[in-house]
Every structure is written in C-alpha cells, then in structure tokens.
Amino acid sequence: MSGTAEIYDAVLTPGKMDLLRAWVAGQPWFDGDEAALEQVTTYRFVDPDGAVGMESFLLTDGTRTFHVPVTYRGEELPGADGAVVGTTDHSVLGRRWVYDAEADPVYRAEVRRVILHRDAAADHLSMEDGSITPSPVNIRGGGAGTTTGAADGVLPTPRVVRVVSEENDIEAGLPVMGSPGTLSGTWQDADGNHTAVLVVIG
C-alpha cells in the first residue's frame, strides 16, 4: 500500500489551477485553449521521507484528458530549473515550489516502485478531522515485465503519458491497460467510468 497522504484545508496563492493552466499552455503536447482546462480529479503518492508532496492531476479541455503529475517542495530542487511549474504560498505549509513530477527523483522512484510492486495510490487523510478516504482514482501498477527490471544496475525511467487515451490496442503501439511496466488508473466523472494507462516504464 502506498500509505496515506496528508490533506490540509488550506488556501494556496496562486491556486493550483492557475499554476497548471499557465504551465500546460507552454508544453509541446498541448495545443488547445488553456483557459478551458478544468480539473477532473487527482491522485497522490507519498514520499517515504515525508518531505515531498506528490499529486497527479487529470485535466480536461472539454474534448481531451491530460495527465499532469506535480511535486511540492519546501525548497528548490537543485538542477531542475527547467521543470518548475511555479511557486505558491500554502496557508499552512508556507512557500512551496511546484515541479513537473517527471523531473523529480522522488516521484520517479515512487511511481517506479508502485508499478513494479503492483501497488496503488495513497489514501487521503484529512488533517482537520482525521478522516481517511480512498483515492478518487483507482491506481494499479502492472508489475515487472521483461523490459522493466534493472539492467546493469540502471533502473527503468518512468514516462508520463500526457494526453490520455482510453484505447487499448497493442497493435497500434498503445500500452495495454494493466500490463507489466504500466501504471493504470480508473476514475469517474459525469460521463461515467474511464480507464487509461498513465505512466509507462521500460
């Protein structure tokens, strides 16, 4: 189990969606109207050392779904200037540096572990009332395949799927949901249930 993520009833200035819209607008995989982006849902992982927050957003512009994992840090990550999403002031935790999670070694290590160990996303712990709720996205790691184990001591690099596809066709070069080396997620919105591959390693 990926543990329990601490969730605060806090005010962020600027807000998460303000940061995400501005950052997504400059990414090569996005060619839409960033003003139309809205949050569908999120899921979280937990840093074993408790220092880095990890939250993965599913966003929609009305026609497509985008997967945007970020990390939250209390200080800058050396050597990651090109991966900065922005900074925000958290009313409980103070200044937070927000990074594209794909460039953060803590996220890479944890998502790799979740995939290889067939783990799930973290539950959510409300710091206000102590209640625990399950992740709104049912995350499942696909385990290790022939190309996902360490080779010559080099661990596989996770690749975040940015534009989410619910197609499941290996002949079309698309990763199969739940297959080895993948992180798959199932979530629900007004249109029903959705399942897609979100991260691939190997």
Side-chain angles (χ1 to χ4, degrees):
M1 181 63 188
S2 289
T4 304
E6 297 178 348
I7 309 296
Y8 294 89
D9 184 13
V11 176
L12 277 72
T13 308
K16 294 177 182 179
M17 284 304 303
D18 292 329
L19 290 177
L20 292 174
R21 289 188 183 105
W23 184 78
V24 167
Q27 302 311 303
W29 39 264
F30 183 78
D31 60 358
D33 176 10
E34 69 273 14
L37 287 171
E38 298 292 342
Q39 178 178 315
V40 178
T41 188
T42 72
Y43 65 94
R44 291 179 180 255
F45 295 132
V46 175
D47 174 10
D49 294 328
V52 179
M54 292 178 272
E55 186 172 20
S56 296
F57 292 82
L58 290 167
L59 309 177
T60 184
D61 63 359
T63 49
R64 295 168 298 175
T65 301
F66 303 93
H67 181 217
V68 186
V70 301
T71 57
Y72 305 110
R73 288 176 167 265
E75 56 187 23
E76 295 180 76
L77 175 62
D81 291 349
V84 176
V85 174
T87 59
T88 186
D89 290 316
H90 190 288
S91 60
V92 176
L93 301 176
R95 174 62 58 92
R96 308 295 283 170
W97 280 260
V98 185
Y99 289 92
D100 174 14
E102 194 172 45
D104 194 312
V106 172
Y107 172 83
R108 292 198 303 265
E110 180 60 13
V111 75
R112 184 188 299 119
R113 185 197 65 78
V114 170
I115 290 173
L116 297 181
H117 290 260
R118 300 182 183 273
D119 209 344
D123 290 337
H124 293 184
L125 168 64
S126 169
M127 300 303 289
E128 277 58 52
D129 61 17
S131 61
I132 297 177
T133 55
S135 170
V137 182
N138 180 14
I139 290 294
R140 55 194 179 279
T146 57
T147 63
T148 58
D152 298 325
V154 178
L155 292 171
T157 301
R159 177 179 62 82
V160 173
V161 177
R162 300 296 189 171
V163 183
V164 172
S165 172
E166 295 186 66
E167 294 184 41
N168 193 24
D169 185 358
I170 195 168
E171 293 183 0
L174 299 170
V176 176
M177 298 165 198
S179 61
T182 65
L183 185 82
S184 299
T186 299
W187 67 96
Q188 187 173 38
D189 62 19
D191 296 325
N193 289 322
H194 306 272
T195 298
V197 173
L198 303 174
V199 181
V200 177
I201 60 175

